Amino acid sequence: MTVRRVRADEWPALRGLRLDALRDPDARLAFLDSFADAVQRPDEHWRGRAAASAEGDAAVQLVAVDDHELAGSVTVLVQVAGSQDHHGRRVRHSRAVLVGVYVRPAYRGTGVTDDLIDAAATWSRARGFRELTLDVHRDNARAQGAYRRAGFTPSGVAFTSAIGPEIEMVRAL
Ligand SMILES: CC(C)(COP(=O)(O)OP(=O)(O)OC[C@H]1O[C@@H](n2cnc3c(N)ncnc32)[C@H](O)[C@@H]1OP(=O)(O)O)[C@@H](O)C(=O)NCCC(=O)NCCS
């Protein structure tokens, strides 16, 4: 298993992984997007999405690759103070935010999630961030378990997003 930054030319595989994520039984507790919307997006959308996370400092998508299959993925978004975050909230301090956490069922409980989160932490630390933040649905117990094991603790911030009640968790880098 290799964990690395995605390449722009991998957009078809990223599209497949994302569509599988949006079909997951827990998708309604995990993602702001829906399968019905995503499946209709043109190739240009997926090309652009892959390119934006393959290069630069604004975002990174890290993938776990097993024998040419994408086992899972995480994305770090750099949110700049004064901008709006992915929930439409104003960002007070520039921060690194972990989103789009998904591991295919066959690879769950194998440590892939930890490797992806560690890679996200390393990338964020190298860009000067001292914390990694994420939001997780209040009822997504498995994700919260994985995040706690990876060193995240609740920050005390709770809010309601498009998918319902969420809590913020933070890990020092
Ligand atoms: C979230 C996800 C990436 C976690 O990866 P994973 O490999 O399944 O996680 P792990 O098995 O390594 O860790 C889960 C932890 O929660 C625990 N757990 C599992 N189910 C649980 C439940 N119903 N209640 C409480 N804890 C639970 C596990 O025991 C484990 O903790 P432990 O290692 O301390 O025993 C993966 O399940 C996934 O892709 N889920 C669908 C998408 C999703 O929910 N993404 C997160 C969006 S915020």
Side-chain angles (χ1 to χ4, degrees):
M1 184 75 65
T2 307
V3 173
R4 58 165 173 78
R5 192 169 193 169
V6 74
R7 295 190 312 263
D9 66 359
E10 289 178 302
W11 66 266
L14 286 184
R15 176 180 184 275
L17 186 73
R18 181 66 174 174
L19 292 179
D20 285 350
L22 294 174
R23 270 185 293 223
D24 190 278
D26 282 338
R28 65 180 181 85
L29 297 178
F31 306 114
L32 296 170
D33 202 1
S34 74
F35 178 82
D37 287 345
V39 76
Q40 294 186 42
R41 294 192 184 113
D43 290 354
E44 289 64 40
H45 167 83
W46 302 101
R47 276 202 186 90
R49 188 179 165 112
S53 44
E55 285 173 26
D57 284 340
V60 66
Q61 184 164 6
L62 299 152
V63 288
V65 187
D66 182 29
D67 201 19
H68 303 297
E69 180 188 46
L70 296 188
S73 168
V74 299
T75 295
V76 179
L77 303 177
V78 171
Q79 297 181 338
V80 179
S83 65
Q84 281 202 338
D85 74 4
H86 51 303
H87 297 295
R89 300 173 300 177
R90 189 170 171 279
V91 176
R92 289 202 193 144
H93 307 289
S94 295
R95 59 187 195 155
V97 183
L98 189 68
V99 297
V101 179
Y102 176 69
V103 170
R104 288 192 193 279
Y107 295 93
R108 293 181 190 167
T110 66
V112 171
T113 307
D114 307 64
D115 293 346
L116 284 164
I117 292 174
D118 281 349
T122 300
W123 187 89
S124 304
R125 197 182 304 118
R127 274 142 196 90
F129 292 100
R130 292 289 163 262
E131 270 184 2
L132 190 56
T133 303
L134 61 82
D135 304 318
V136 57
H137 195 286
R138 192 186 57 194
D139 299 334
N140 196 342
R142 182 158 192 158
Q144 286 184 34
Y147 297 149
R148 262 194 301 276
R149 202 189 51 237
F152 287 87
T153 53
S155 71
V157 172
F159 62 101
T160 301
S161 78
I163 60 169
E166 298 209 56
I167 62 165
E168 182 184 86
M169 298 183 84
V170 182
R171 167 180 161 171
L173 298 177

